[in-house]
Amino acid sequence: MSEVSETTPQPPHAPHLGGPAPHPGPPHPGPPLLATPVPGPPAPQLTGPGFPQPVAPPATPVQQPVPVPHPPAADHPTAPQPQHLTPQPPAPRTPTPQPAAPQPATEAPRTLQYRFDGPEDAPVLVIGPSLGTTWHMWDRQIPELAQHWRVFRYDLPGHGGAPAHAAPSVAELADRLIATLDGLGVQRFGYAGCSIGGAVGADLALRHPHRVASLALVASSPRFGTADEFRQRGVIVRTNGLEPMARTAPERWFTPGFAAAQPAIVEWAVQMVRTTDPGCYIAACEALAAFDIRDHLGRIGVPTLVLVGAEDQVTGPAEARTLVAGIPDARLALVPGASHLAPVEQPAAVCDLLLTHFSTAWQDAPTTAPVAPLVPGPATPAASFAPLAEIAPAPDAPEAVGPQRVSRHERGVTVRREVLGDAHVDAVNASADPFTEDFQELVTRYEWGEAWSRDGLDRRTRSCVTLTALVATGHLEGLAAHTRAALRNGLTPAEIKEVLLQSAVYCGIPAAGAAFTIARSVIQEETTPPA
């Protein structure tokens, strides 16, 4: 059966962008034997008459959210069927259960908006979305997956009409997911997630290994780009809204050929981003900026499929190979003709890969919860995963070391990079020499490891104080770096202007005038959306 739980109901269905991806019957028995996805002919253009009309919303909605376009629900019989990448004879199918009535979820911010599809007595398979998307990015895999598992999909905070309770970290998202599953009585489950959804799955496998039976990381990475890239994205959204991210989403998510052949799906992608809550999007960017599990991959102890589009320019094959090299029981599947949103671009291939993985690599529940080691363990050879798998060489495991208390210097390095950015800190370190290195150590330990690390003020307030102090003392050589830091710490250009106006009254017009010139140049540079 299918059921939906949400604090605010999902909006009406948009016209179909394609039907469910066909699959040649039940999961393959025996050793893994993957479907071979090859770029097929483009799906038919989905314009003109003949599409189903939108489904009416529930009769008594709690609150009508902003409409969020999405790919079609798979149970519409009139949706056009895409061609399978490898033609197969038709196979008998079990009847698709009828959706159950929407059920209200708790209003507490520590749970997530979710829905179920599939038999109530089947094992649970949790599926996580990418940043800027909703659970509907998986619509075309659900008809097949729901014949074998009870599929649980969730929305990120502020996505798809979900309550806008921002989550500041990947671990917090994982905690909310666990709280939601606990409330439903789900203890053990398989997990597949795309991008930030994959990061949530990796965090679950690290911190709750006894809960995860099998793992699939789709278009994911142990570290997503650089912290500077995602904090810069937050600055742009805070200043310009989500339109710049929406406009550039298609080129990040799809191959050029697919985007040209499927304008309806491109428009769906753009509208999904536009209707996301900006504050929740920014919080997710901050969460990805801080996410880094490269040193902990060896602790992931469940069978793992690492799936990536061969043309993914966001988290591509290089990042996937890093995951496979570090996770002891991991296999790599490359999907030709796909970019970042491989489940949307090559739905049949992704469906085949997930069916095969979860039907052959589902780990029985351990009798007791395992205790994860403190450091990564050595990688063990993985089984052959033909025809798409390739295993990167496993790095040597580091020597075991005991837990250490974070030093003032280490804390200072972390905070300095978070506030000023990697590029600035790297430039300072590169210019240091034997004469200045002790001074830089002093700055790192006491300015950043002590003053900026205290809990008494948040970083927004510390940025306001710092900008004012620089104007008051005339030390404008540091104003550009701290204007960038203020933007990264959450101040808007309008708030920075107010700080400088206040400083002009109490610190002097000439100094504030010079500060306005510097700050204006930095703000224009930092908040201009990408072309």
Side-chain angles (χ1 to χ4, degrees):
M1 297 182 65
S2 301
E3 59 187 74
V4 180
S5 181
E6 52 198 356
T7 302
T8 54
Q10 281 286 300
H13 286 211
H16 280 314
L17 302 180
H23 182 268
H28 309 290
L33 185 60
L34 303 186
T36 308
V38 295
Q45 292 296 319
L46 305 174
T47 57
F51 293 104
Q53 295 302 309
V55 178
T60 56
V62 178
Q63 177 183 356
Q64 184 63 39
V66 177
V68 182
H70 54 77
D75 56 357
H76 284 267
T78 56
Q81 301 290 317
Q83 297 185 15
H84 197 284
L85 297 176
T86 303
Q88 299 287 342
R93 301 178 180 275
T94 57
T96 302
Q98 293 300 312
Q103 299 185 7
T106 176
E107 302 246 355
R110 288 191 56 79
T111 57
L112 297 173
Q113 177 171 281
Y114 69 92
R115 69 170 288 154
F116 273 116
D117 295 279
E120 293 184 3
D121 58 349
V124 173
L125 176 61
V126 177
I127 299 185
S130 173
L131 174 61
T133 73
T134 73
W135 65 42
H136 293 293
M137 68 164 283
W138 294 99
D139 272 1
R140 296 172 76 183
Q141 285 77 37
I142 296 304
E144 294 299 330
L145 297 181
Q147 293 193 33
H148 310 283
W149 294 280
R150 184 151 173 76
V151 181
F152 173 101
R153 285 182 285 172
Y154 66 90
D155 275 330
L156 298 170
H159 292 59
H165 301 297
S169 67
V170 169
E172 171 65 17
L173 287 171
D175 288 344
R176 294 188 193 183
L177 176 57
I178 286 291
T180 307
L181 295 171
D182 285 346
L184 297 166
V186 176
Q187 291 301 310
R188 189 142 172 97
F189 50 86
Y191 186 96
C194 182
S195 194
I196 191 173
V200 171
D203 183 84
L204 291 172
L206 287 168
R207 296 195 297 124
H208 303 279
H210 57 292
R211 304 289 293 269
V212 182
S214 188
L215 180 65
L217 305 178
V218 180
S220 196
S221 176
R223 185 191 187 197
F224 289 80
T226 68
D228 282 357
E229 292 172 10
F230 279 97
R231 292 196 171 100
Q232 173 71 11
R233 190 183 295 188
V235 169
I236 290 174
V237 173
R238 193 177 291 114
T239 307
N240 302 280
L242 279 165
E243 182 58 29
M245 298 300 108
R247 189 176 64 247
T248 57
E251 65 189 57
R252 294 194 305 270
W253 288 354
F254 307 124
T255 59
F258 180 86
Q262 295 287 1
I265 294 182
V266 169
E267 180 59 23
W268 159 76
V270 169
Q271 291 301 325
M272 256 196 315
V273 179
R274 281 177 178 154
T275 51
T276 299
D277 177 77
C280 290
Y281 188 97
I282 292 169
C285 289
E286 291 290 336
L288 288 175
F291 182 78
D292 188 351
I293 59 168
R294 289 174 295 176
D295 294 336
H296 306 288
L297 293 176
R299 291 170 47 203
I300 296 179
V302 298
T304 303
L305 171 68
V306 179
L307 190 156
V308 63
E311 299 182 48
D312 190 345
Q313 301 299 313
V314 180
T315 51
E319 287 81 3
R321 291 187 180 97
T322 300
L323 288 168
V324 172
I327 299 173
D329 186 9
R331 292 170 290 184
L332 174 63
L334 295 172
V335 181
S339 186
H340 194 58
L341 285 195
V344 176
E345 194 163 5
Q346 294 284 10
V350 171
C351 191
D352 282 339
L353 291 165
L354 294 180
L355 280 165
T356 301
H357 173 69
F358 286 109
S359 63
T360 59
W362 194 281
Q363 195 175 72
D364 291 335
T367 55
T368 58
V371 178
L374 293 174
V375 296
T380 57
S384 176
F385 198 49
L388 294 178
E390 55 180 280
I391 307 301
D396 294 334
E399 295 183 3
V401 295
Q404 296 181 350
R405 183 178 178 181
V406 177
S407 69
R408 185 182 297 160
H409 172 83
E410 292 171 323
R411 184 171 62 246
V413 168
T414 299
V415 174
R416 192 177 191 182
R417 287 186 176 278
E418 289 176 353
V419 173
L420 294 179
D422 290 333
H424 177 90
V425 176
D426 289 343
V428 170
N429 291 340
S431 65
D433 56 29
F435 184 74
T436 61
E437 62 184 4
D438 289 341
F439 174 72
Q440 290 302 325
E441 170 71 13
L442 179 74
V443 170
T444 298
R445 289 169 57 200
Y446 290 101
E447 179 181 356
W448 299 104
E450 280 288 343
W452 273 89
S453 297
R454 294 178 62 86
D455 296 329
L457 296 174
D458 61 29
R459 290 184 182 175
R460 282 172 47 89
T461 305
R462 291 189 186 279
S463 281
C464 292
V465 173
T466 302
L467 291 175
T468 303
L470 291 173
V471 174
T473 58
H475 294 310
L476 301 183
E477 66 278 2
L479 192 72
H482 278 283
T483 300
R484 290 188 178 89
L487 291 167
R488 292 160 61 92
N489 286 340
L491 290 177
T492 65
E495 290 171 326
I496 293 174
K497 178 180 71 174
E498 293 300 325
V499 170
L500 297 182
L501 286 172
Q502 188 80 0
S503 300
V505 174
Y506 290 94
C507 305
I509 297 295
F516 264 103
T517 300
I518 296 171
R520 178 177 59 184
S521 175
V522 170
I523 289 170
Q524 288 176 344
E525 177 184 343
E526 293 293 311
T527 62
T528 300

